[in-house]
Amino acid sequence: LEGDVGSGKTVVAAMALYNTVLSGYQAVLMAPTEILGNQHYESLNKLLGDKLQIALLTRSQFSISNFQFPNKSKISNDKISKQQVTKVIKNGEVDIVIGTHALLSEKVEFNKLGLVIVDEQHRFGVEQRKTIREKTANPKVLSHFLSMTATPIPRSFALTLYGDLDLSIINEMPADRKIIKTRLV
């Protein structure tokens, strides 16, 4: 999925993520930086946070929105550890996981992974994209894959011509969208 900054790629991703969860699977969105991961986490919480359990997992940040630990547990959402977050992800108690390269850690496993979305996919290698798709407890389930970018690069176009990718382009901005200003500082 290709589109300019602000064209609506995150909304398209949210629809795919939500549909995956409604079908009984977990979904993951992997971003190359903590800043972008946080942006996706905040956006998806605004769109879906009242309906789903959404986790953020990066090298230095971890949280779960709309999640209650069992009453027997003395864990509250403001006192959770990274290990507790990875445990509930593995148990399938989290619907959507947003993260960075931290998702590629051996400690991170998914219960029933149905969809992997990689934002700015050119910032990840082939092995990294393969690794995240295979992180499911059920080896018979091969997750769907969506890559998103605002930066078309030759490798992505080559994959659409010679590989197994289809290209969808959002070529116009949503109505009343603010103009994106890029500055060099």
Side-chain angles (χ1 to χ4, degrees):
L1 178 61
E2 179 188 316
D4 288 338
V5 172
S7 64
K9 295 184 302 291
T10 302
V11 173
V12 172
M15 290 187 293
L17 294 164
Y18 188 57
N19 191 42
T20 301
V21 173
L22 290 177
S23 298
Y25 293 88
Q26 287 175 296
V28 64
L29 192 157
M30 190 164 68
T33 65
E34 287 190 355
I35 292 171
L36 186 54
N38 271 310
Q39 287 176 345
H40 284 307
Y41 183 68
E42 290 174 17
S43 296
L44 290 172
N45 270 306
K46 286 179 188 172
L47 295 169
L48 304 171
D50 61 333
K51 299 171 185 66
L52 304 176
Q53 292 76 37
I54 303 173
L56 175 67
L57 185 62
T58 69
R59 181 183 54 79
S60 65
Q61 300 172 322
F62 42 90
S63 63
I64 307 172
S65 66
N66 198 27
F67 185 80
Q68 294 295 320
F69 285 92
N71 287 339
K72 296 176 194 172
S73 171
K74 295 181 180 176
I75 303 166
S76 64
N77 225 344
D78 58 337
K79 295 180 182 180
I80 61 174
S81 70
K82 195 176 234 181
Q83 293 161 325
Q84 291 158 330
V85 172
T86 57
K87 182 179 178 183
V88 295
I89 291 170
K90 183 179 180 177
N91 292 342
E93 298 174 71
V94 172
D95 300 312
I96 297 172
V97 182
I98 300 162
T100 58
H101 291 81
L103 296 172
L104 300 171
S105 165
E106 289 179 15
K107 297 175 184 174
V108 178
E109 293 180 52
F110 298 90
N111 186 285
K112 194 175 175 188
L113 186 59
L115 174 66
V116 173
I117 298 178
V118 177
D119 196 5
E120 299 300 337
Q121 64 95 20
H122 58 277
R123 303 272 303 268
F124 296 94
V126 173
E127 284 298 316
Q128 291 171 322
R129 292 193 304 265
K130 180 180 179 242
T131 297
I132 192 73
R133 285 185 77 186
E134 294 174 346
K135 289 181 137 305
T136 185
N138 186 347
K140 293 180 182 178
V141 175
L142 178 62
S143 58
H144 292 274
F145 182 79
L146 171 64
S147 65
M148 301 190 309
T149 188
T151 314
I153 61 169
R155 182 177 68 184
S156 298
F157 284 123
L159 285 170
T160 63
L161 293 174
Y162 304 111
D164 61 351
L165 289 181
D166 294 321
L167 179 64
S168 297
I169 299 174
I170 301 175
N171 58 9
E172 57 187 65
M173 299 298 259
D176 300 326
R177 187 67 178 189
K178 292 180 183 177
I179 295 173
I180 304 297
K181 296 179 183 177
T182 304
R183 296 187 177 110
L184 178 63
V185 178

